[in-house]
């Protein structure tokens, strides 16, 4: 079971969960993952990735944004989400067991986008970012790109993107990431949608699909350069 901690904000607090790394294949990294817009850190998706990456050797921390903690449906304003993310980073860095190694941040969809905003604004001693379905644009609105700030991120980035993602396919990401060179890598989830769900005709089971994505993230965390 993960350890539950409280993270203080300027107004109130949120819950974070610490999934301790397995001892067998320890990676010298703590990964902070934020949830997407519609489901909390307790969603099957978030738990699967937190548990899977902890088993693969990375301390993994998830947390709720304030609106989710309070049971509201609409996400907070971006500045509130970003401030919450920074507070979680501070809490993680305040723990000896989590602060000893490298720090990587990211998340699913909205959570990953907020991680990218925090990194673009400047975050000291950040080793990299992991995006689980980066929301490049709203579905059906490819002209509304959410990518200009990515060029201001100096750390390595790993994008795990479904080939059928309505929020942005790997093909749509490619011309945006190309100028970033080796700093940005993409792992394509074949036939995956925004949450990496694959159709029944897929030769792989859903658990295999998620496992392969987690394997790739673990490999990248060992050497994100």
């Amino acid at each position: 079971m993960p350890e539950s901690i409280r993270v203080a904000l300027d107004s109130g607090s949120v819950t974070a969960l610490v999934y301790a790394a397995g001892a067998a294949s320890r990676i010298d990294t703590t990964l902070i993952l934020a949830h997407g817009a519609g489901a909390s850190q307790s969603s099957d998706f978030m738990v699967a990735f937190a548990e899977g990456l902890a088993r693969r050797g990375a301390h993994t921390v998830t947390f709720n944004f304030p609106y989710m903690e309070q049971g509201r449906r609409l996400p907070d304003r971006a500045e509130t989400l970003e401030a919450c993310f920074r507070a979680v980073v501070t809490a993680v860095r305040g723990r000896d067991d989590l602060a000893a190694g490298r720090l990587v941040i990211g998340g699913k969809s909205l959570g990953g986008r907020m991680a990218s905003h925090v990194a673009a604004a400047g975050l000291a001693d950040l080793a990299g970012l992991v995006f689980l379905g980066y929301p490049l644009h709203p579905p059906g609105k490819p002209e509304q790109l959410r990518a200009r700030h990515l060029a201001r991120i100096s750390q390595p980035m790993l994008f795990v993107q479904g080939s059928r993602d309505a929020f942005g396919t790997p093909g749509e990401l490619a011309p945006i990431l190309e100028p970033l060179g080796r700093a940005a890598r993409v792992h394509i989830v074949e036939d995956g949608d925004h949450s990496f769900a694959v159709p029944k005709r897929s030769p792989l089971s859903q658990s295999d699909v998620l496992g392969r994505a987690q394997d790739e993230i673990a490999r990248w965390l060992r050497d994100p350069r």
Side-chain angles (χ1 to χ4, degrees), residues 34 65 76-86 89 105-107 109-124 126 128-131 134-137 144-155 157 159:
F65 286 119
D76 304 295
R77 295 171 62 89
E79 54 264 35
T80 299
L81 301 176
E82 294 167 26
C84 177
F85 214 128
R86 287 191 292 269
V89 169
I105 64 175
S109 193
L110 171 72
R113 185 161 68 95
M114 290 305 106
S116 70
H117 286 181
V118 169
L123 186 63
L126 180 64
L129 297 99
V130 173
F131 303 109
Y134 186 80
L136 182 62
H137 57 71
Q144 296 183 20
L145 294 177
R146 301 157 169 162
R148 182 174 297 178
H149 65 289
L150 295 178
R152 299 199 304 271
I153 298 175
S154 59
Q155 295 83 7
M157 295 176 279
F159 293 78

Side-chain angles (χ1 to χ4, degrees), residues 10-11 21 26 31 43 57 70 75 79 102 110 118 121 124 129 134 148 162 167 174 176 185 190 196 219:
D10 288 341
S11 177
R26 186 66 58 87
L31 172 62
S43 69
Q70 297 162 13
E79 54 264 35
R102 294 173 298 184
L110 171 72
V118 169
L129 297 99
Y134 186 80
R148 182 174 297 178
F167 288 78
I176 292 166
R185 286 174 51 189
E190 292 294 345
F196 311 150
R219 281 192 291 267

Side-chain angles (χ1 to χ4, degrees), residues 13-222:
S13 63
V14 295
T15 306
L17 297 175
V18 179
Y19 295 78
S25 55
R26 186 66 58 87
I27 302 172
D28 188 28
T29 298
T30 293
L31 172 62
I32 302 176
L33 291 177
H35 61 75
S40 75
Q41 66 176 331
S42 299
S43 69
D44 290 345
F45 182 96
M46 292 297 295
V47 171
F49 271 87
E51 291 182 343
L53 292 168
R55 284 195 304 271
R56 287 163 174 79
H59 291 310
T60 306
V61 179
T62 65
F63 66 95
N64 283 333
F65 286 119
Y67 77 96
M68 191 65 70
E69 187 83 0
Q70 297 162 13
R72 293 183 280 112
R73 296 184 63 183
L74 292 179
D76 304 295
R77 295 171 62 89
E79 54 264 35
T80 299
L81 301 176
E82 294 167 26
C84 177
F85 214 128
R86 287 191 292 269
V88 174
V89 169
T90 298
V92 165
R93 286 177 165 167
R95 289 181 49 136
D96 291 342
D97 58 332
L98 301 177
R102 294 173 298 184
L103 176 68
V104 174
I105 64 175
K108 181 185 187 325
S109 193
L110 171 72
R113 185 161 68 95
M114 290 305 106
S116 70
H117 286 181
V118 169
L123 186 63
D125 299 323
L126 180 64
L129 297 99
V130 173
F131 303 109
L132 306 176
Y134 186 80
L136 182 62
H137 57 71
K141 299 180 179 179
E143 72 283 358
Q144 296 183 20
L145 294 177
R146 301 157 169 162
R148 182 174 297 178
H149 65 289
L150 295 178
R152 299 199 304 271
I153 298 175
S154 59
Q155 295 83 7
M157 295 176 279
L158 175 63
F159 293 78
V160 182
Q161 205 79 4
S163 64
R164 298 185 298 112
D165 193 335
F167 288 78
T169 64
E172 290 176 294
L173 272 174
I176 292 166
L177 301 183
E178 184 177 7
L180 305 181
R182 293 172 59 111
R185 286 174 51 189
V186 179
H187 172 71
I188 300 174
V189 180
E190 292 294 345
D191 286 331
D193 65 8
H194 190 51
S195 295
F196 311 150
V198 296
K200 292 182 178 179
R201 59 175 169 78
S202 172
L204 296 176
S205 69
Q206 194 62 55
S207 61
D208 286 339
V209 169
L210 298 186
R212 288 190 176 193
Q214 292 159 18
D215 287 343
E216 180 63 24
I217 294 169
R219 281 192 291 267
W220 182 85
L221 288 174
R222 293 186 184 279

